[in-house]
Amino acid sequence: MLESMRNAAQGVVGKAIMTVVMGLIIVSFVIWGVGDMLRGFTSSTVASVGSQKISAEDYHSAYQRMLQQYQRRLRQPFTNEQARAIGLDREALQRLLSEAAMDEEARKLGLSVSDEALRSMIVSNPTFQDKSGAFDPQKFADVLRNNDMNERMFVSDLRKTALRQFIVAALTAGIAAPKAEVKAEADFQGQTRSIDYFTLPASAAGEIAPASEETLKSYFNDRKSQYRAPEYRAMDVVSLEPETIANPDEVSDADAQAAYDKVAGKDPRYGSPEKRDLQQILFPNEAEADAAEARIKAGASFDDIVKERSLGPDQTDIGVTTKDAIIDKGEAEAVFALPQGGVSDVLKSQFGPVIVRVKGVTPSSVKPYSEVAEAIKRQVSASRAGDKIQAIHDKIEDARVAGKSLADAAKDVGLTAQTIPAVDAEGKDPAGAPVNLPDKTDLLRAAFASDVGLDEAPLQTKDGGFVWYSIGKIEPSHDRGFEEAKPEVEAQQRADEIDKALVAKADDLVKQLRAGGTVADVAKSVGAEAKTAGDIHRDDKSLPESVVAAIFREPADGAGSAASPDGRAIFKITSDKTPAVDFADLRVKGMAQQLDASTRDSVLEQYVEALRRSLGVVVHPEVLQSAEGS
């Protein structure tokens, strides 16, 4: 709950927050459903916070929604016993208690939402609007009916949620992470190390004798769950995307030219945007910034100011960036209006007044219209395909209602069904190869929540298309026997033995480095090639992740080893640097924003916990246990 509340509090109060509030509720309805899961259940109270009571029905519904969510994730039954073992029952109760505390505080503060404001929230929400953007009462009624809601229930929930959002917005507005925390995080992320290293190949492990049948069986028995065969599903898939029915011949040259003019130099498919290599001086106050600006206009250079303030490149260089990458749009407009070598007036940034210099300009590279005309026309045609897609959608749905298979319904409108013999929940076939699927993540999630023979509604894609699927066969997940898994067992057992041997050899070589040996000499002793790697960050991708992690686990002048795809890397750290933090740097600004959000979350959590303590929480265990059900 706290996460959703914090997210909603990021915007301005008013129409934006109304849309967010409605979005949160509608998303929860779509994901969980709000059916009356306790028809006939008693109205006993599970818990109370102040004067707010949580009924057994409210708790049961919330608990069941979470249970169903886990079942969908695991794609298998999830029992009450399993739920209790991971604390799902406690999590459901804690969420309800926190919401009740917020509701009680809203009541005590005398907050209210007018019926007119609630009406505005509803009619302005896209979920309830027709294609013209007007409120559609029928869509509103359909959504409520499909989720077993009536208007009274819906409005009541909406009113409570809106009031919670207003409290959150007031509580968290203006809260930011301490500057010291931002610096500590920037230091951590900005730290770099350089190493000398070499790779000890797998062959250095020496001769590894084949394991006996008894050893392999023992190895298999200790790791049976690792060799369990996943569930596979056979299905037919039909994809209807704007690109599928796009017809470039329908688009005039004039329309295509107009579309090209809007994206040329901005869309990477048709050219790259302008880039600028920037430097800046960040000032502690406006007075010093204004004085520096006056000196530059009087003849001093940007470099003169940098030298006077004893600033190094790590404090002034922003680097090459695009206009869109600059967070402050006013600053971006001013900087990109300067010529190469130009120096700005004092600009206001998030971290204080700055003066910016343009070191270099890389002009946008624009592909000529003649070169991309066909692609532009196809894009324009695809953007106009909405009505055609809806018409084809309706024809396929009518054919399915009439009893035709998905493949035959698709064939009637000129589409071809993709037949998938077997795919697991990760999108791989039995051989472990990835299966090419449209809208892959959403399709797999939906397909593995479906069943054989169910006539499921199509998925709607982000670009306005549809994906239909029909499950033909399910091959359940099952434990494989030793003989079936033996090839994998042999390979894994041998790999483990090789790794053990390499670790032992690597430990001896690392001891030599720590005793003063050089990487060049130690590498030569085992016939390996010594290499260097510089300016390695914690998220560096030039080296294996395991090696990077090991490098930053060691002391600044340490040595160590880590597994790598080719064997085992042996390294010695040759330098350790942590640059000064530039709070105007785009990377640091982004980091600060993330920490700000985390700080707001923490404040909100503490606030809700304090509310609960001051209001008093009473839980009735016997009613709680009964409400969970069997």
Side-chain angles (χ1 to χ4, degrees), residues 217-260:
K217 285 182 178 179
S218 176
Y219 187 92
F220 170 76
N221 289 331
D222 290 342
R223 301 164 178 80
K224 270 188 177 181
S225 61
Q226 295 181 17
Y227 300 103
R228 183 176 174 82
E231 177 182 312
Y232 288 100
R233 297 198 166 202
M235 59 182 172
D236 285 339
V237 178
V238 174
S239 177
L240 175 61
E241 305 277 359
E243 282 288 329
T244 308
I245 60 174
N247 183 1
D249 295 336
E250 295 179 347
V251 181
S252 68
D253 284 327
D255 287 350
Q257 181 70 55
Y260 168 79

Side-chain angles (χ1 to χ4, degrees), residues 169 399 420 429 592:
I420 311 297
D429 64 19

Side-chain angles (χ1 to χ4, degrees), residues 128 135-147 149:
F128 304 136
F135 175 71
D136 186 339
Q138 188 57 51
K139 289 188 70 174
F140 177 66
D142 289 344
V143 171
L144 266 60
R145 184 178 61 255
N146 291 338
N147 290 283
M149 292 285 287

Side-chain angles (χ1 to χ4, degrees), residues 161-456:
T161 304
L163 290 175
R164 294 171 196 156
Q165 301 300 334
F166 294 147
I167 292 175
V168 171
L171 177 69
T172 60
I175 290 180
K179 201 167 185 177
E181 183 181 5
V182 177
K183 181 181 183 304
E185 181 66 19
D187 284 344
F188 181 82
Q189 296 294 340
Q191 181 184 12
T192 63
R193 288 183 166 183
S194 298
I195 61 169
D196 289 338
Y197 74 102
F198 64 91
T199 300
L200 194 63
S203 58
E207 186 66 27
I208 303 295
S212 66
E213 191 84 353
E214 183 179 348
T215 299
L216 290 175
K217 285 182 178 179
S218 176
Y219 187 92
F220 170 76
N221 289 331
D222 290 342
R223 301 164 178 80
K224 270 188 177 181
S225 61
Q226 295 181 17
Y227 300 103
R228 183 176 174 82
E231 177 182 312
Y232 288 100
R233 297 198 166 202
M235 59 182 172
D236 285 339
V237 178
V238 174
S239 177
L240 175 61
E241 305 277 359
E243 282 288 329
T244 308
I245 60 174
N247 183 1
D249 295 336
E250 295 179 347
V251 181
S252 68
D253 284 327
D255 287 350
Q257 181 70 55
Y260 168 79
D261 291 340
K262 291 180 180 179
V263 299
K266 298 178 181 178
D267 189 321
R269 290 175 294 179
Y270 311 119
S272 60
E274 178 182 330
K275 297 178 182 178
R276 295 193 166 208
D277 189 1
L278 304 177
Q279 292 177 301
Q280 70 176 13
I281 303 172
L282 176 65
F283 296 90
N285 54 62
E286 290 187 11
E288 292 188 32
D290 291 341
E293 178 186 330
R295 289 203 56 219
I296 291 174
K297 288 182 176 180
S301 68
F302 183 90
D303 289 331
D304 290 338
I305 306 299
V306 169
K307 186 175 181 180
E308 289 173 6
R309 304 185 73 84
S310 301
L311 300 176
D314 56 339
Q315 296 168 295
T316 60
D317 289 356
I318 297 177
V320 178
T321 185
T322 61
K323 187 175 182 178
D324 291 343
I326 298 178
I327 297 174
D328 189 307
K329 298 309 174 187
E331 182 181 354
E333 291 292 341
V335 168
F336 272 75
L338 293 170
Q340 180 164 330
V343 178
S344 74
D345 294 338
V346 175
L347 303 175
K348 291 183 178 180
S349 74
Q350 182 179 356
F351 295 97
V354 296
I355 293 178
V356 180
R357 177 169 69 176
V358 180
K359 283 179 62 180
V361 176
T362 303
S364 62
S365 59
V366 180
K367 295 180 180 178
Y369 170 74
S370 58
E371 186 178 325
V372 298
E374 183 75 11
I376 289 286
K377 287 184 176 182
R378 177 169 290 278
Q379 183 180 350
V380 173
S381 178
S383 69
R384 296 173 177 174
D387 291 340
K388 291 181 181 179
I389 285 178
Q390 190 60 49
I392 295 174
H393 164 275
D394 294 345
K395 288 180 180 179
I396 291 178
E397 288 298 289
D398 289 345
R400 295 174 73 198
V401 169
K404 288 194 174 184
S405 68
L406 177 58
D408 288 340
K411 187 177 180 181
D412 288 348
V413 296
L415 298 177
T416 302
Q418 177 186 4
T419 299
I420 311 297
V423 62
D424 67 15
E426 294 183 353
K428 297 178 181 179
D429 64 19
V435 178
N436 184 27
L437 295 170
D439 211 23
K440 192 169 187 175
T441 301
D442 289 341
L443 174 58
L444 288 171
R445 184 185 298 115
F448 275 80
S450 184
D451 208 338
V452 175
L454 292 185
D455 192 13
E456 300 280 12

